[in-house]
Amino acid sequence: MVTGDFKAQVDSLWQAFWSGGVSNPLSVIEQITYLLFIRRLDQIQTREEAKAQTLGTTSKRIIFPEGNYVEDATDPDDPQKKITVSYQDLRWKFLRDMASEDAFKIMDNFVFPFLQIMASEGSSHNKHMKDARFGIPTPQLLVKAMDIIDELPLESRDAKGDIYEYMLGKIASAGQNGQFRTPRHIIELMVALTAPKPSDVIVDPASGTCGFLVAASEYVVENHPEVMIDDKLRTHFQSDMFNGFDFDNTMLRIGSMNMMLHGVENANIAYRDSLAEETDKDEGKYSLILANPPFAGSLDYESCSKDLQRVVKTKKTELLFIALFLRLLKVGGRAAVIVPDGVMFGSSKAHKELRKLIVEEHKLDAVIKMPSGVFKPYAGVSTAILLFTRTDTKEGDPCATENVWFYDMQADGLSLDDKRQLLVPAEQQGVTPSEALSADDHAKNNLPDILARWGQRDGAELKRARTEQSFCVSKDDIATAGYDLSLNRYKEIVYEEIDYPAPKEIIAELREIENDIAKGLTALEEMLG
């Protein structure tokens, strides 16, 4: 958890960039990401050097070797001069000791080209540095940013991850870039519902800042501590477990840094247009999908993957993403994804065919209807969480979908207007609050109840009436309704019976009132006359 002091430090770092002339929030977080990466490279080498000295061996991992990076190079500030820059000059701790103008010159002309050379080597994050560009405009801003970053507590996995998450939150709060971010508590709900295991292979085909993958990694570490002890599980956790795709290079750099700062050193965060590229090599590869993909309307058939067109013939991105999820999952793999409400009840042939496909040939586990204010102030769209499992049920086999669990989420702990203010204290926020919620508090935060009732969906929930906040609907009823998956299609509303007087009694009462008024007016005239 980020404390007030550290929030103030991050806020001052952010303000330094804004007052220094870097006003685009994505540019700010990108430049901070570069600085964090450069600092981390120095920390890695320092740690390796200390280990080698303790053991009396040589370092196995040398990022900054001895010797010169460039010799007799033209001085960028004075073409008449020649300068020599050693590899050690590129290290964070030595840059910190330089004069501001010298540090700025080395950073711009030598450190960033060095990062681009590293892009072809090493971890997933390194390769996203090939397009890294130094965008800090002045030596004064560089030194101030490095000073503040040096003071941040980036030693522990939890602290540095929380601080970076807090920085990412500022992308959303800046306005136009809010679409990149799903609310943290909604992500944590979806992760808790799917309960990732150490053996899972997880993918987010529209990963953005990697919020879903980060939350999944935190869940696994917290609930399966053996993943950090067992060599085989730890290798899987660090290298193969987490996969994210995006076609925005800035998002790839930010997302991979987010994973790295949360303790996942070599997540597979890769450039890919998920809807445009063929999926043959990844079909059936993943056991869990967590995603809130962008729903941008329609695509041309020519720009869409032919693999997905074979699943459902459509140009709608929301339907194409669901088709993609089904292809990427292995049999038995599960998904928790956010979709716009139109997917639930759309009347087009493609909408109906895709809903039927999920219900009849796979296993639709749940539909959680979310209030439209969840994504405010950036969007007021109505959405739902779909949870399903790939089963590849063949014709003639028993249908895997027997009952579908529906939940009508009415509150998520925050006000549903543009301000999104806390409705319950911080201790009662989120999916697993530290303080129990009363019945009144539940009306303000449904998330703990969703998780609890999800665990009872094959038991007590089957007996709940459709007048309740959550209930189950049989597959046969869904088929009869034309595979409509909107909650309101099945929810029953009980109207309170109110007895009204007969019309004759109402008219008689009105006449009596009129007579009283007439008598009062007559008496008033007599008094005045």
Side-chain angles (χ1 to χ4, degrees):
M1 182 177 178
V2 182
T3 63
D5 289 342
F6 298 141
K7 282 184 179 180
Q9 287 177 296
V10 174
D11 291 344
S12 67
L13 176 61
W14 204 267
Q15 184 59 42
F17 273 92
W18 278 67
S19 59
V22 185
S23 57
N24 185 314
L26 280 179
S27 297
V28 174
I29 194 69
E30 187 173 34
Q31 294 302 312
I32 293 173
T33 298
Y34 294 150
L35 295 180
L36 290 172
F37 183 67
I38 294 164
R39 181 176 187 249
R40 179 179 172 275
L41 292 177
D42 185 38
Q43 289 175 326
I44 291 172
Q45 177 134 339
T46 300
R47 187 169 61 243
E48 288 293 324
E49 289 170 345
K51 186 190 300 183
Q53 186 174 5
T54 302
L55 299 176
T57 60
T58 57
S59 298
K60 294 182 179 179
R61 186 176 182 184
I62 300 176
I63 299 170
F64 305 97
E66 295 297 326
N68 294 327
Y69 175 58
V70 294
E71 294 183 7
D72 294 329
T74 301
D75 189 329
D77 296 335
D78 185 354
Q80 303 302 318
K81 290 176 59 178
K82 299 290 184 181
I83 60 171
T84 295
V85 179
S86 72
Y87 280 100
Q88 298 303 305
D89 290 332
L90 309 182
R91 296 180 65 170
W92 179 274
K93 63 183 179 183
F94 294 117
L95 288 165
R96 295 285 293 108
D97 293 333
M98 294 180 187
S100 60
E101 290 78 7
D102 292 337
F104 186 81
K105 177 169 61 179
I106 297 294
M107 186 74 77
D108 187 12
N109 296 283
F110 301 105
V111 174
F112 270 71
F114 177 69
L115 295 182
Q116 293 163 1
I117 293 172
M118 289 184 62
S120 59
E121 306 168 0
S123 73
S124 167
H125 188 75
N126 285 7
K127 67 186 179 185
H128 300 310
M129 289 295 173
K130 67 179 184 295
D131 298 320
R133 296 290 182 270
F134 186 54
I136 296 177
T138 64
Q140 293 74 24
L141 176 56
L142 173 63
V143 170
K144 186 169 186 178
M146 293 178 76
D147 285 342
I148 296 173
I149 288 174
D150 253 355
E151 294 173 2
L152 294 175
L154 298 175
E155 285 72 34
S156 76
R157 173 185 180 275
D158 289 341
K160 61 189 178 186
D162 288 346
I163 287 172
Y164 199 67
E165 280 288 304
Y166 179 66
M167 291 183 189
L168 292 179
K170 290 182 170 293
I171 296 179
S173 66
Q176 75 269 24
N177 297 300
Q179 69 270 22
F180 291 120
R181 200 162 161 78
T182 307
R184 176 76 174 181
H185 56 288
I186 299 299
I187 291 176
E188 290 175 348
L189 171 65
M190 294 166 66
V191 170
L193 292 171
T194 54
K197 305 182 294 292
S199 58
D200 272 321
V201 180
I202 306 172
V203 67
D204 180 352
S207 55
T209 62
C210 291
F212 282 102
L213 299 179
V214 163
S217 72
E218 291 178 332
Y219 182 94
V220 171
V221 169
E222 182 177 346
N223 291 275
H224 303 280
E226 67 274 15
V227 79
M228 293 288 105
I229 302 170
D230 183 277
D231 287 343
K232 184 177 179 181
L233 290 177
R234 187 171 65 250
T235 299
H236 174 65
F237 180 88
Q238 292 290 355
S239 302
D240 305 318
M241 186 172 189
F242 302 102
N243 304 268
F245 308 129
D246 209 294
F247 54 81
D248 185 312
N249 283 315
T250 299
M251 286 294 108
L252 291 171
R253 281 191 285 272
I254 293 172
S256 57
M257 174 59 77
N258 199 13
M259 292 298 292
M260 194 163 60
L261 291 176
H262 280 86
V264 184
E265 289 288 330
N266 201 25
N268 176 32
I269 310 301
Y271 183 94
R272 181 183 299 181
D273 186 344
S274 293
L275 295 183
E277 297 183 27
E278 302 302 313
T279 58
D280 286 345
K281 64 179 180 180
D282 278 353
E283 183 177 4
K285 182 177 179 180
Y286 304 101
S287 61
L288 176 59
I289 292 177
L290 296 161
N292 177 19
F295 303 112
S298 299
L299 296 177
D300 294 332
Y301 285 126
E302 294 74 19
S303 62
C304 180
S305 165
K306 301 300 181 290
D307 291 340
L308 303 183
Q309 291 293 337
R310 283 192 285 271
V311 178
V312 58
K313 188 71 172 177
T314 183
K315 298 179 182 180
K316 295 285 187 182
T317 55
E318 56 265 39
L319 303 183
L320 291 169
F321 266 111
I322 295 175
L324 173 67
F325 300 151
L326 290 172
R327 282 188 67 83
L328 294 179
L329 285 174
K330 62 173 61 175
V331 175
R334 57 216 190 278
V337 299
I338 295 175
V339 298
D341 259 6
V343 171
M344 305 292 100
F345 56 79
S347 58
S348 75
K349 180 181 179 182
H351 280 87
K352 292 179 179 178
E353 286 180 350
L354 193 60
R355 293 197 298 265
K356 181 178 181 180
L357 175 70
I358 296 174
V359 172
E360 295 289 354
E361 298 184 25
H362 302 282
K363 185 174 187 291
L364 178 59
D365 298 295
V367 176
I368 300 173
K369 182 181 184 296
M370 293 195 289
S372 59
V374 163
F375 292 99
K376 283 192 173 182
Y378 317 110
V381 295
S382 295
T383 56
I385 301 172
L386 272 188
L387 293 109
F388 56 88
T389 305
R390 178 174 176 176
T391 61
D392 286 358
T393 304
K394 306 299 181 185
E395 188 174 350
D397 293 341
C399 181
T401 303
E402 294 182 9
N403 294 282
V404 178
W405 183 66
F406 286 82
Y407 193 104
D408 185 9
M409 183 199 299
Q410 297 170 359
D412 66 344
L414 304 171
S415 64
L416 296 173
D417 55 15
D418 287 350
K419 294 182 179 179
R420 293 292 275 158
Q421 296 175 322
L422 296 182
L423 296 180
V424 291
E427 297 77 17
Q428 296 180 328
Q429 290 286 333
V431 185
T432 53
S434 57
E435 187 177 301
L437 274 67
S438 66
D440 289 340
D441 294 330
H442 160 73
K444 301 173 183 176
N445 179 15
N446 297 165
L447 305 189
D449 188 59
I450 293 173
L451 182 59
R453 293 191 180 281
W454 163 257
Q456 302 166 14
R457 66 190 183 282
D458 294 326
E461 289 292 293
L462 292 171
K463 301 175 183 177
R464 299 254 292 179
R466 294 187 187 179
T467 54
E468 305 281 359
Q469 192 169 9
S470 63
F471 53 86
C472 291
V473 179
S474 71
K475 192 272 290 187
D476 291 340
D477 284 353
I478 291 174
T480 301
Y483 300 97
D484 190 323
L485 298 179
S486 56
L487 180 141
N488 291 337
R489 178 67 178 78
Y490 305 101
K491 188 175 181 66
E492 295 175 359
I493 299 174
V494 177
Y495 296 97
E496 182 180 355
E497 186 175 347
I498 300 176
D499 290 328
Y500 292 100
K504 287 184 178 181
E505 295 178 17
I506 295 174
I507 293 171
E509 186 176 347
L510 289 173
R511 285 175 176 167
E512 187 175 337
I513 292 172
E514 287 179 349
N515 290 335
D516 290 342
I517 293 172
K519 290 178 181 178
L521 290 173
T522 302
L524 181 61
E525 288 175 355
E526 291 176 353
M527 289 176 57
L528 295 174

